[in-house]
C-alpha cells in the first residue's frame, strides 16, 4: 500500500495547483518513510542497502517541499524520527548516529521556534521518544556509551515534554521503559550492577 500511495501521488506532485501539489509531496514523504520502516521491521534481505535508499528519497521530497512549497523544519524532524524507528527494526544493520544527531538538531530548532508552551512540550516529547529509539538502536549494535548518552537525553526531553502527561499511564510506561533499558545496559553491557540497580529502582515505581 505504501508503493500504491507513491504511484498515485507521484504524478500529482507536479500539479499546477499548490494545494494538490503539496498534499501529493506530503504523501510521497510519508509513503517512502513507511516503506523504509516496513523493510526494516520485515523479513527482507539487504536491509542495510534498501532502507537508506527509501529514506534518501523521503529526504529529497522533504527538501523539495521546504525549498519550493513553504515546508518547515518539521519535515526533517519527522524523517529523522522515523529513520531511528527503522534503525531499531533493522536490528543493528543500520547506523543510527546521523539520524540521532539530525533529530536533536531539528527538534531543538522546532522547540525554539514554537510559541505555545504546550507545543514546545509536544515537540520535546516527540524528540524524547525518537531518542529512545536511538538508545535501542545503539544498544543492539553494542555501542553502550552512545546508548547511555542518548538514553539520558531521551529522559531529559521526555520529562521536559511530559509536564501535562505525568499522571498518565503512557508517560509512566515509556519513561519506566527507558529507565529499565538504561539499567539493562549497565548490568549486561557494562557489568556495573550498582549503577544498574539505581536505574532499576527508578523504573519500578513508574512501571508499577
Amino acid at each position: 500500500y505504501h508503493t500504491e500511495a507513491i504511484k498515485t501521488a507521484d504524478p500529482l506532485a507536479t500539479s499546477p495547483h499548490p494545494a494538490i501539489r503539496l498534499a501529493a509531496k506530503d504523501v510521497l514523504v510519508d509513503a517512502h518513510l513507511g516503506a523504509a520502516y516496513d523493510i526494516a521491521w520485515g523479513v527482507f534481505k539487504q536491509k542495510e542497502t534498501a532502507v537508506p535508499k527509501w529514506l534518501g528519497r523521503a529526504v529529497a521530497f522533504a527538501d523539495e517541499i521546504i525549498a519550493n512549497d513553504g515546508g518547515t523544519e518539521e519535515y526533517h524532524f519527522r524523517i529523522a524520527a522515523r529513520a531511528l524507528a527503522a534503525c531499531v527494526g533493522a536490528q543493528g544493520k543500520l547506523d543510527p548516529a546521523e539520524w540521532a544527531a539530525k533529530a536533536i538538531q531539528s527538534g531543538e530548532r522546532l522547540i525554539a521556534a514554537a510559541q505555545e508552551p504546550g507545543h514546545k512540550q509536544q515537540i520535546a516529547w516527540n524528540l524524547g521518544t525518537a531518542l529512545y529509539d536511538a538508545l535501542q538502536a545503539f544498544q543492539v549494535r553494542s555501542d553502550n556509551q552512545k546508548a547511555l548518552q542518548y538514553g539520558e537525553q531521551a529522559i531529559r526531553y521526555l520529562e521536559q515534554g511530559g509536564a501535562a502527561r505525568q499522571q498518565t499511564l503512557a508517560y509512566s510506561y515509556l519513561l519506566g521503559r527507558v529507565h529499565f533499558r538504561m539499567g539493562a545496559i549497565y548490568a549486561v553491557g557494562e557489568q556495573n550492577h550498582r549503577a544498574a540497580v539505581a536505574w532499576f529502582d527508578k523504573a519500578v515505581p513508574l512501571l508499577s
Side-chain angles (χ1 to χ4, degrees):
Y1 286 115
H2 283 128
T3 303
E4 289 297 320
I6 292 168
K7 290 179 181 178
T8 302
D10 192 51
L12 298 174
T14 56
S15 171
H17 302 288
I20 294 175
R21 184 174 66 249
L22 179 58
K25 290 180 180 179
D26 202 52
V27 168
L28 288 169
V29 171
D30 281 339
H32 280 86
L33 291 176
Y37 185 90
D38 296 339
I39 294 168
W41 282 88
V43 184
F44 295 95
K45 297 179 180 179
Q46 298 181 323
K47 294 182 181 184
E48 63 275 19
T49 301
V51 173
K53 288 182 179 179
W54 286 97
L55 294 175
R57 292 171 191 156
V59 170
F61 282 114
D63 288 344
E64 169 72 16
I65 294 172
I66 293 171
N68 299 313
D69 292 287
T72 69
E73 190 68 28
E74 188 275 334
Y75 280 95
H76 286 154
F77 178 75
R78 190 195 312 177
I79 291 171
R82 289 287 282 171
L84 288 170
C87 288
V88 178
Q91 291 293 298
K93 293 182 178 180
L94 297 173
D95 185 354
E98 176 187 358
W99 298 113
K102 287 183 176 180
I104 293 174
Q105 182 182 58
S106 296
E108 285 286 0
R109 287 176 180 172
L110 290 172
I111 291 171
Q115 299 297 315
E116 297 293 330
H119 190 201
K120 287 181 181 288
Q121 290 174 6
Q122 182 62 54
I123 298 166
W125 178 264
N126 293 341
L127 179 53
T129 59
L131 295 181
Y132 175 46
D133 283 335
L135 178 162
Q136 296 177 81
F138 279 114
Q139 183 184 11
V140 172
R141 291 168 67 86
S142 299
D143 191 340
N144 296 324
Q145 293 307 309
K146 285 290 187 181
L148 294 172
Q149 172 191 331
Y150 284 109
E152 290 178 356
Q153 289 179 292
I155 291 169
R156 185 169 73 250
Y157 284 112
L158 288 172
E159 289 177 341
Q160 179 183 337
R165 305 169 185 261
Q166 291 185 6
Q167 303 304 316
T168 67
L169 291 176
Y171 175 86
S172 298
Y173 181 61
L174 182 56
L175 202 58
R177 286 183 62 180
V178 179
H179 282 86
F180 166 78
R181 195 170 286 271
M182 294 286 283
I185 293 170
Y186 273 110
V188 179
E190 298 293 295
Q191 294 294 302
N192 185 340
H193 299 292
R194 184 182 297 276
V197 169
W199 283 104
F200 291 147
D201 283 344
K202 294 177 182 180
V204 167
L206 290 165
L207 294 175
S208 295

